[in-house]
Amino acid sequence: MTATPTDPQQFNSSPADSTGKDLVSLEGRRKSRGRQAWFWSSVWLMLLVASSALGLWAVALITRLPPLPNCDRISVFSADSERLYCARQSAVSGAEQDLVAGIQLISAWDETHPLYQDSQEVANRWSKGLLKLAQQRMQKGHIDRATQLLGYIPPRAEIYAEAQVASGRWLQEWAKGEEISAVVIEAVGNQNWSGARQQLRDIKRLTSDYWLKDRHRYLGQHIQREEDARRTLIKAQTLASDGQMESLAEALTLIRQIEVQSHAWPEAKPLLTDWADVLLTYGLQKWEQDDLAGAIAIIQKVPADLATKSEAQDLVQFAHAQRLAAFQQDWEPTYGDVLNLMDAIQAVQDIGRESPFYQDAQAKLELWTKQLSDLQQLYGATLMAHLNQKASLKLAIEQAQIITTDRPQRQQAQTLISHWSKEIQRIEDRPALVRAQQLADSGDKASLQAAIVEARKIQQGRALRIDAQTKIAQWSKQIQVLEDQPLYSKALDLASKGKLRDAITEARKIQKGRALYSQAQDSIKNWTNRIQIAEDRPILDEAEELAYQGRLSDAIALAARIASGRALYREARNAISIWDAERAYIQSLQQPIDDDYYEEDGHSDHE
């Protein structure tokens, strides 16, 4: 198709212009074909990806497993397979209720059930778990629950017969154990302690831990507890029978130790009341005799709940208030002291005006009120002193000094002031002792002397004076060792070379009282012994040679030359004793024969 020329200039165009236009047209056609090729490639690629994804989805849809059942929503209307699955999952925990639920699910399935074979293995496994749990229950003494668990094991389980045998055996053992326990308790009630213990031995024939350990221990303690209670009652009755109030008070203390659950308590309870009445009456008599201290000493033995009369109650209350107020007064006050004194004040304040003890109680009230005020003052001062600072200690001392000489806690205040004053001295003098120690740590003579000078700055009577003197003595010995060590070392060197006499002379230069004196004297003694042995050994050897030759008298004379105090003196004396005995024996053999001997035997010359 050709275009109709409309422009007259077209007929006048040159051949060069026509060629350029053809090139432009050709280039445009090439670009158009390239865009079409790219478009179709993209379309085919998208189709390929879509078909691959569709294929993968189809394969996954065909091969995926069916959804697992939701065990939280399982019910009796669910399929047996789902219920079996959930039972298996829950039984993995091994919990008692889960195993029972699983067993109950499959126990009714017979051989005709489609899942019978699948459930057989889990039935055996769950039954073994139940048997193990039942044994644990039985060992702890829960026999009812143990046999109940065994009852859940179905007849189809492999261990069914074993479970039935175990159940019967456990029940039989429990019956035997209960029988033994009843006999033991009856023997205890009859105070037959030896018989109870003899019967208790039969429990050892049982097998479960409950009887062998728990029940055996309980019954043994029960026997001992009842026997102790009975012995305590008898001892208390014996004490009370002598008629002395002190013995009766001790008997009352003893009888209160008897446990309420014991068989002896019904007998002890009326005695407790009677004896308390006797003591209260005696205490009132003491008070009427103006012996308030003696009355309180007796009444304090009586528990407050045993006082029945109003006068006795007031006296008991007064006595217990006295005991509360009897705190230690020679050291730091405690919060407990303050509370006890407050309770004592409250106790005497409850004694009314109509009570015969009112005046005495008021007198104590006045004293204890002052003591409480002092204690509170000292307790506050003590809290400040515990900061262990110089300023806080001074403030604590000022607070304690407020307590004047006429106050009841003056002695305690003075004790605390003295202690805190020494603490201040320690704080003041400790830097000097620390500096002295730092100087002494260098170890040389000059440093040790400087340390001694520093430590002597702590004056006599100060809290750290003894510590300083101890350090000074220690450092003085160190200086002496530094001064005398060359002498001692030289002596040791001489001794190692065999010059023992020179070594002794050198060691004797160390004076008595010096740090190395004792050590030097030991060495001198050793070296002296070595010299003496060297001098006397030839003499003793020569004497032994003479004795060997039979010259005992010469040997004894020669060995006697070793003087007393010499190193070989004891050895020489032992040898002399032996040789002297030998010489005496030889001389006894050489004595002339008595003529009377022959006359008696019929060998006389006259015959």
Short mmCIF file of all heavy atoms in Angstrom, two decimals, residues 406-425:
data_model
loop_
_atom_site.label_atom_id
_atom_site.label_comp_id
_atom_site.label_asym_id
_atom_site.label_seq_id
_atom_site.Cartn_x
_atom_site.Cartn_y
_atom_site.Cartn_z
N ASP A 406 21.44 7.16 141.93
CA ASP A 406 20.29 6.68 142.69
C ASP A 406 19.33 5.86 141.83
O ASP A 406 18.29 5.42 142.33
CB ASP A 406 19.54 7.87 143.28
CG ASP A 406 19.06 8.85 142.20
OD1 ASP A 406 19.71 8.90 141.13
OD2 ASP A 406 18.06 9.54 142.43
N ARG A 407 19.66 5.65 140.57
CA ARG A 407 18.78 4.90 139.67
C ARG A 407 19.06 3.40 139.78
O ARG A 407 20.20 2.97 140.08
CB ARG A 407 18.96 5.35 138.22
CG ARG A 407 18.68 6.81 138.00
CD ARG A 407 17.23 7.13 138.18
NE ARG A 407 16.39 6.46 137.19
CZ ARG A 407 15.08 6.61 137.08
NH1 ARG A 407 14.43 7.39 137.94
NH2 ARG A 407 14.39 5.98 136.15
N PRO A 408 18.05 2.53 139.54
CA PRO A 408 18.25 1.07 139.72
C PRO A 408 19.23 0.46 138.71
O PRO A 408 19.84 -0.56 139.02
CB PRO A 408 16.84 0.50 139.56
CG PRO A 408 16.06 1.55 138.83
CD PRO A 408 16.64 2.86 139.24
N GLN A 409 19.37 1.06 137.54
CA GLN A 409 20.25 0.47 136.52
C GLN A 409 21.60 1.17 136.43
O GLN A 409 22.26 1.11 135.40
CB GLN A 409 19.55 0.52 135.15
CG GLN A 409 18.26 -0.27 135.07
CD GLN A 409 18.45 -1.72 135.46
OE1 GLN A 409 17.90 -2.16 136.47
NE2 GLN A 409 19.22 -2.46 134.69
N ARG A 410 22.00 1.82 137.53
CA ARG A 410 23.27 2.56 137.52
C ARG A 410 24.46 1.64 137.26
O ARG A 410 25.35 1.97 136.49
CB ARG A 410 23.44 3.28 138.87
CG ARG A 410 24.77 4.01 139.02
CD ARG A 410 24.93 5.11 138.00
NE ARG A 410 26.17 5.85 138.23
CZ ARG A 410 26.59 6.84 137.46
NH1 ARG A 410 25.85 7.22 136.43
NH2 ARG A 410 27.72 7.46 137.72
N GLN A 411 24.47 0.48 137.91
CA GLN A 411 25.60 -0.44 137.74
C GLN A 411 25.71 -0.91 136.29
O GLN A 411 26.82 -0.97 135.73
CB GLN A 411 25.43 -1.65 138.67
CG GLN A 411 26.60 -2.63 138.60
CD GLN A 411 26.43 -3.79 139.58
OE1 GLN A 411 25.47 -3.82 140.35
NE2 GLN A 411 27.35 -4.73 139.55
N GLN A 412 24.59 -1.22 135.67
CA GLN A 412 24.60 -1.63 134.27
C GLN A 412 25.08 -0.49 133.39
O GLN A 412 25.85 -0.71 132.43
CB GLN A 412 23.21 -2.09 133.84
CG GLN A 412 23.17 -2.70 132.46
CD GLN A 412 21.79 -3.20 132.09
OE1 GLN A 412 20.79 -2.76 132.65
NE2 GLN A 412 21.73 -4.12 131.14
N ALA A 413 24.65 0.73 133.70
CA ALA A 413 25.09 1.89 132.92
C ALA A 413 26.60 2.07 133.03
O ALA A 413 27.28 2.35 132.02
CB ALA A 413 24.37 3.15 133.41
N GLN A 414 27.16 1.92 134.23
CA GLN A 414 28.60 2.07 134.41
C GLN A 414 29.38 1.00 133.66
O GLN A 414 30.45 1.27 133.10
CB GLN A 414 28.94 2.02 135.90
CG GLN A 414 28.47 3.24 136.69
CD GLN A 414 29.09 4.53 136.16
OE1 GLN A 414 28.39 5.36 135.59
NE2 GLN A 414 30.38 4.69 136.33
N THR A 415 28.84 -0.21 133.66
CA THR A 415 29.49 -1.30 132.91
C THR A 415 29.54 -0.97 131.42
O THR A 415 30.57 -1.17 130.76
CB THR A 415 28.73 -2.62 133.13
OG1 THR A 415 28.71 -2.92 134.52
CG2 THR A 415 29.40 -3.75 132.38
N LEU A 416 28.44 -0.48 130.89
CA LEU A 416 28.39 -0.12 129.47
C LEU A 416 29.30 1.06 129.17
O LEU A 416 29.98 1.08 128.13
CB LEU A 416 26.95 0.19 129.08
CG LEU A 416 25.99 -0.99 129.08
CD1 LEU A 416 24.55 -0.52 128.88
CD2 LEU A 416 26.35 -1.99 127.99
N ILE A 417 29.33 2.04 130.06
CA ILE A 417 30.21 3.20 129.84
C ILE A 417 31.66 2.76 129.78
O ILE A 417 32.44 3.21 128.94
CB ILE A 417 29.99 4.25 130.97
CG1 ILE A 417 28.62 4.91 130.80
CG2 ILE A 417 31.09 5.30 130.95
CD1 ILE A 417 28.23 5.80 131.97
N SER A 418 32.06 1.85 130.70
CA SER A 418 33.43 1.35 130.70
C SER A 418 33.75 0.61 129.40
O SER A 418 34.81 0.80 128.81
CB SER A 418 33.64 0.43 131.90
OG SER A 418 34.92 -0.15 131.87
N HIS A 419 32.81 -0.22 128.95
CA HIS A 419 33.03 -0.96 127.71
C HIS A 419 33.14 -0.04 126.51
O HIS A 419 34.05 -0.18 125.67
CB HIS A 419 31.88 -1.94 127.51
CG HIS A 419 31.90 -2.66 126.20
ND1 HIS A 419 32.84 -3.62 125.89
CD2 HIS A 419 31.12 -2.52 125.09
CE1 HIS A 419 32.64 -4.06 124.67
NE2 HIS A 419 31.59 -3.41 124.16
N TRP A 420 32.26 0.93 126.43
CA TRP A 420 32.28 1.84 125.28
C TRP A 420 33.51 2.75 125.31
O TRP A 420 34.05 3.11 124.25
CB TRP A 420 31.00 2.68 125.27
CG TRP A 420 29.77 1.85 125.04
CD1 TRP A 420 29.72 0.65 124.40
CD2 TRP A 420 28.43 2.13 125.46
NE1 TRP A 420 28.43 0.16 124.39
CE2 TRP A 420 27.61 1.04 125.02
CE3 TRP A 420 27.83 3.17 126.16
CZ2 TRP A 420 26.24 1.00 125.27
CZ3 TRP A 420 26.47 3.14 126.40
CH2 TRP A 420 25.68 2.06 125.96
N SER A 421 33.97 3.11 126.50
CA SER A 421 35.20 3.92 126.61
C SER A 421 36.39 3.15 126.06
O SER A 421 37.24 3.71 125.36
CB SER A 421 35.44 4.31 128.07
OG SER A 421 34.37 5.10 128.57
N LYS A 422 36.45 1.86 126.36
CA LYS A 422 37.53 1.04 125.82
C LYS A 422 37.43 0.91 124.30
O LYS A 422 38.45 0.85 123.60
CB LYS A 422 37.53 -0.34 126.48
CG LYS A 422 37.96 -0.32 127.94
CD LYS A 422 38.06 -1.71 128.51
CE LYS A 422 38.52 -1.69 129.96
NZ LYS A 422 39.88 -1.12 130.10
N GLU A 423 36.20 0.85 123.80
CA GLU A 423 36.02 0.80 122.35
C GLU A 423 36.55 2.07 121.70
O GLU A 423 37.16 2.03 120.63
CB GLU A 423 34.54 0.60 122.01
CG GLU A 423 34.02 -0.80 122.28
CD GLU A 423 34.72 -1.84 121.44
OE1 GLU A 423 34.88 -1.63 120.22
OE2 GLU A 423 35.14 -2.87 122.00
N ILE A 424 36.32 3.22 122.34
CA ILE A 424 36.86 4.48 121.81
C ILE A 424 38.39 4.45 121.82
O ILE A 424 39.04 4.88 120.87
CB ILE A 424 36.33 5.67 122.64
CG1 ILE A 424 34.81 5.83 122.41
CG2 ILE A 424 37.06 6.96 122.28
CD1 ILE A 424 34.18 6.90 123.27
N GLN A 425 38.97 3.91 122.89
CA GLN A 425 40.42 3.79 122.96
C GLN A 425 40.94 2.89 121.85
O GLN A 425 41.99 3.18 121.25
CB GLN A 425 40.83 3.24 124.32
CG GLN A 425 40.55 4.17 125.49
CD GLN A 425 40.86 3.53 126.84
OE1 GLN A 425 41.42 2.43 126.89
NE2 GLN A 425 40.53 4.23 127.92
#
